[in-house]
């Protein structure tokens, strides 16, 4: 692989002059610049981004830490972040913690060692050690969809409580009175907020809330939970799923038990991931533009990188109910 010294030798000029051309550290005449560029093209020389970043004290990269990259929600979120970053000259390093608190902390250290210019975090769950590490960061920080006690940072978050309230109220307005909630992992703030919205809608309607089912944010977990709910004599006529991945599992469990959706069971999800539109029946869900959420997070982080003194901003995004085919009035 060609080096900067090889370029200098081919162009017949000093190593220092080539360095000025490559790094833009000092004006160079057009004829000299042309010689350097021709030598670079002939030799296929690639300047060291690491070396340049050390000199500039910036790397042009941002870190993105998510709990589960296999979840389409986080894939769509990452795409929105990457699209905005790329348009503005930044690269994104993605780290997936697999819903593991310890791995989350290890990846944070890895990203900081890479000298990232900023960090976007969708955390696994509230964790004191991780929160303490984030609170002490020297790089700009953006939290997506979840807050952390003791961490003051920019945050963009969907109104989870409101979204769950809308989903449950929709089922109530259809006439359902036995509405179950398969919420997700109870330790996460997101699930706690969505469970609160579920309970608020039922309380307003003076309808008894069933215990919120705790499970992972995955289709297999939703499938297993729904199998239990649908096996009883007092099976619900509607299920509010804490995310669309859980809802997919619920639809599968209903099909296996020959429970017709939506005639015998209504199902409502949360997130409006792309695949929810192409299921049969298409999933009624609480919608948000996940890609736009990512774009918003990236835009705010880049603004803070450019202007470090900005005050921390909290942005709450209003969700909407997306009506499709998986919800209907219960059979009488």
């Amino acid at each position: 692989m060609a080096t900067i010294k090889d370029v200098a030798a081919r162009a017949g000029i000093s190593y220092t002059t080539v360095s000025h051309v490559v790094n833009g550290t000092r004006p160079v005449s057009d004829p000299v610049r042309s010689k350097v560029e021709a030598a670079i093209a002939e030799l296929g020389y690639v300047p060291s981004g690491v070396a340049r970043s050390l000199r500039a004290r910036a790397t042009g990269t941002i870190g993105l830490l998510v709990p589960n990259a296999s979840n389409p929600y986080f894939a769509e979120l990452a795409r929105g972040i990457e699209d905005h970053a790329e348009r503005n000259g930044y690269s994104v390093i993605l780290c997936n913690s697999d819903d593991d608190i310890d791995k989350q902390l290890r990846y944070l250290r890895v990203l900081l060692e890479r000298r990232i210019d900023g960090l976007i975090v969708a955390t696994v769950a509230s964790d004191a050690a991780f929160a303490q590490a984030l609170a002490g960061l020297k790089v700009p920080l953006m939290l997506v969809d979840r807050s952390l006690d003791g961490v003051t940072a920019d945050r963009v978050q969907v109104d989870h409580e409101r979204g769950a309230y809308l989903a449950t109220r929709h089922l109530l307005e259809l006439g359902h009175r036995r509405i179950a909630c398969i919420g997700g992992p109870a330790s996460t703030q997101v699930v706690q907020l969505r469970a609160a919205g579920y309970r608020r809608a039922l309380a307003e309607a003076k309808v008894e809330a069933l215990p919120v089912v705790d499970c992972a944010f995955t289709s297999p977990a939703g499938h297993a939970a729904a199998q239990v709910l649908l096996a009883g004599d007092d099976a619900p006529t509607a299920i509010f799923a804490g995310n669309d991945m859980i809802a997919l599992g619920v639809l599968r469990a209903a099909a296996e038990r020959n429970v017709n959706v939506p005639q015998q069971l209504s199902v409502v999800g949360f997130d409006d991931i792309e695949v929810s539109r192409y299921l049969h029946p298409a999933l009624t869900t609480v919608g948000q533009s996940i890609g736009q959420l990512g774009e918003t997070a990236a835009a705010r982080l880049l603004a803070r990188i450019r202007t470090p003194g900005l005050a921390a901003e909290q942005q709450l995004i209003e969700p909407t109910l997306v009506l499709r085919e998986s919800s209907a009035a219960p059979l009488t």
Side-chain angles (χ1 to χ4, degrees):
M1 181 178 291
T3 67
I4 194 169
K5 292 183 179 179
D6 296 329
V7 174
R10 176 64 63 92
I13 56 180
S14 71
Y15 160 88
T16 303
T17 301
V18 174
S19 177
H20 290 322
V21 172
V22 170
N23 297 302
T25 50
R26 187 175 298 174
V28 176
S29 68
D30 289 341
V32 170
R33 180 179 296 279
S34 296
K35 285 184 179 181
V36 172
E37 291 174 349
I40 287 174
E42 291 171 11
L43 296 173
Y45 169 66
V46 179
S48 169
V50 173
R52 283 188 311 205
S53 70
L54 289 173
R55 286 188 290 271
R57 298 184 181 276
T59 61
T61 60
I62 59 176
L64 172 59
L65 185 53
V66 300
N68 187 350
S70 65
N71 184 329
Y73 172 85
F74 292 109
E76 292 179 35
L77 179 73
R79 180 60 183 269
I81 290 169
E82 185 179 32
D83 284 350
H84 186 87
E86 191 274 335
R87 289 197 303 270
N88 288 273
Y90 281 80
S91 300
V92 179
I93 301 174
L94 172 64
C95 289
N96 169 44
S97 65
D98 287 322
D99 291 310
D100 184 320
I101 290 175
D102 293 333
K103 189 175 181 180
Q104 178 177 251
L105 189 56
R106 290 197 301 273
Y107 266 139
L108 175 60
R109 297 191 187 103
V110 169
L111 288 169
L112 295 177
E113 288 171 0
R114 295 293 185 92
R115 301 174 62 89
I116 54 174
D117 296 338
L119 176 64
I120 298 176
V121 173
T123 183
V124 173
S126 297
D127 175 68
F130 187 66
Q132 185 177 13
L134 290 181
L137 285 185
K138 303 300 182 185
V139 299
L141 172 65
M142 182 81 201
L143 299 178
V144 177
D145 243 8
R146 303 172 192 187
S147 60
L148 280 173
D149 292 338
V151 179
T152 301
D154 292 311
R155 185 176 84 245
V156 58
Q157 180 172 335
V158 172
D159 191 338
H160 300 290
E161 196 273 351
R162 172 70 176 167
Y165 172 84
L166 292 174
T168 309
R169 191 177 69 178
H170 165 64
L171 293 169
L172 288 164
E173 289 172 348
L174 288 173
H176 293 278
R177 290 299 178 266
R178 187 159 180 80
I179 303 170
C181 175
I182 305 176
S187 62
T188 64
Q189 182 197 60
V190 167
V191 172
Q192 293 161 11
L193 289 170
R194 293 178 185 177
Y198 160 77
R199 295 190 185 101
R200 178 164 70 95
L202 292 172
E204 285 183 3
K206 295 181 172 53
V207 173
E208 180 184 1
L210 301 179
V212 176
V213 179
D214 183 17
C215 72
F217 269 141
T218 65
S219 295
H223 175 267
Q227 287 282 22
V228 174
L229 288 173
L230 297 176
D233 294 333
D234 55 351
T237 63
I239 294 177
F240 166 52
N243 74 351
D244 289 349
M245 296 302 290
I246 292 174
L248 265 63
V250 173
L251 292 176
R252 176 68 184 182
E256 290 174 352
R257 302 189 69 84
N258 294 316
V259 174
N260 187 281
V261 176
Q263 284 80 7
Q264 295 172 286
L265 177 71
S266 285
V267 181
V268 179
F270 201 117
D271 284 338
D272 193 21
I273 60 176
E274 186 175 14
V275 70
S276 67
R277 301 158 213 175
Y278 301 102
L279 299 171
H280 182 70
L283 182 66
T284 294
T285 184
V286 175
Q288 54 184 298
S289 175
I290 305 171
Q292 186 57 50
L293 185 69
E295 294 246 6
T296 300
R300 182 61 184 175
L301 182 69
L302 297 189
R304 178 163 292 284
I305 290 172
R306 299 185 187 106
T307 312
L310 292 174
E313 181 180 274
Q314 316 299 315
Q315 185 172 351
L316 195 64
I317 295 177
E318 177 74 13
T320 57
L321 183 67
V322 182
L323 298 177
R324 297 197 180 103
E325 301 164 356
S326 66
S327 58
L331 293 174
T332 56

